[in-house]
Amino acid sequence: EAGVAQSPRYKIIEKRQSVAFWCNPISGHATLYWYQQILGQGPKLLIQFQNNGVVDDSQLPKDRFSAERLKGVDSTLKIQPAKLEDSAVYLCASSLRGNAANTIYFGEGSWLTVV
Amino acid sequence: DQQVKQNSPSLSVQEGRISILNCDYTNSMFDYFLWYKKYPAEGPTFLISISSIKDKNEDGRFTVFLNKSAKHLSLHIVPSQPGDSAVYFCAASENNNDMRFGAGTRLTVKP
């Protein structure tokens, strides 16, 4: 079974530039999550989708971050404009139903450095 | 707000001995607790979980203990192996929503 795919793995951008990350969840998984993990901290949920609808985006900085999952499969997370404090690993995860926490599968992450 | 805390950033143990990783939480509404393991350059992988209706869950060498009155859980690994060296994250959720993670503890198992 293929895992959660993310790209790019690494990205370095200057502050005020924009960046986009892509995620392809495990086939058949209805729920998709984007987490931000800053160095030395645990992952923090940014947004959760159930199919193509948003379930929770309460911790998403909506002035600069946006995410979409148009067809209920792939998802993109965009940051525009980026700030230095956005440097982090952006983890995409998916689960079958979103109501059983132990079935969350993470991708390898997209490492962002803002300089 | 740090609702889930792992106060030890690192732990070093000898191969064959017991590793004990600790986690504290502040939200009494949390009802499901998990441990994730993360190797460098990989995403976290699920290790073991426990529901708030239990106080112990065991899976092979891994056991999680939950003390609800103290709002504390721990992960025991016995015996520890060098391949267990990784960062371990404690996580908690309420009604399986909005899982909150601790900052992680880096475990090093020395041969």
Side-chain angles (χ1 to χ4, degrees):
Chain A
E1 177 183 77
V4 176
Q6 291 188 244
S7 68
R9 286 297 311 277
Y10 305 95
K11 190 76 175 177
I12 301 175
I13 62 173
E14 294 182 351
K15 59 184 179 183
R16 291 186 290 274
Q17 286 187 322
S18 62
V19 64
F21 300 113
W22 172 84
C23 173
N24 181 234
I26 293 174
S27 178
H29 280 197
T31 306
L32 185 146
Y33 313 79
W34 282 102
Y35 283 85
Q36 179 194 56
Q37 186 181 5
I38 294 172
L39 187 65
Q41 300 180 20
K44 181 183 85 170
L45 179 68
L46 292 176
I47 189 167
Q48 176 181 341
F49 291 95
Q50 182 74 16
N51 297 308
N52 60 347
V54 175
V55 173
D56 182 357
D57 64 356
S58 57
Q59 299 188 86
L60 185 75
K62 298 180 185 64
D63 58 335
R64 297 183 301 105
F65 286 66
S66 64
E68 59 183 13
R69 193 184 184 199
L70 291 175
K71 296 182 179 179
V73 181
D74 294 6
S75 176
T76 55
L77 175 71
K78 296 180 182 177
I79 307 173
Q80 181 179 11
K83 292 186 175 181
L84 296 176
E85 58 260 36
D86 297 332
S87 295
V89 179
Y90 291 86
L91 294 162
C92 181
S94 70
S95 66
L96 268 174
R97 294 180 299 276
N99 61 355
N102 65 337
T103 59
I104 291 178
Y105 298 88
F106 284 88
E108 293 181 325
S110 292
W111 298 65
L112 173 66
T113 301
V114 183
V115 298
Chain B
D1 62 349
Q2 253 194 309
Q3 297 188 35
V4 179
K5 297 180 183 179
Q6 293 176 257
N7 292 319
S8 298
S10 63
L11 174 68
S12 181
V13 301
Q14 207 67 34
E15 181 179 6
R17 300 289 185 101
I18 183 171
S19 294
I20 301 177
L21 296 101
N22 294 303
C23 178
D24 296 291
Y25 61 95
T26 56
N27 187 346
S28 59
M29 299 302 291
F30 285 146
D31 56 9
Y32 200 76
F33 306 87
L34 310 92
W35 286 94
Y36 277 80
K37 177 179 178 179
K38 185 182 184 302
Y39 291 117
E42 294 184 11
T45 55
F46 170 73
L47 188 59
I48 192 169
S49 63
I50 188 167
S51 165
S52 60
I53 63 173
K54 295 185 175 181
D55 55 17
K56 177 182 174 181
N57 189 26
E58 190 172 353
D59 183 3
R61 298 185 296 113
F62 302 90
T63 303
V64 56
F65 295 92
L66 176 63
N67 182 335
K68 289 186 289 293
S69 60
K71 295 191 181 68
H72 177 85
L73 68 155
S74 60
L75 174 68
H76 292 211
I77 307 174
V78 181
S80 301
Q81 299 173 354
D84 296 330
S85 297
V87 177
Y88 289 79
F89 290 100
C90 169
S93 67
E94 177 185 347
N95 291 329
N96 284 317
N97 289 321
D98 193 11
M99 192 159 58
R100 301 275 177 155
F101 285 82
T105 297
R106 181 178 301 278
L107 173 66
T108 302
V109 180
K110 298 180 179 178

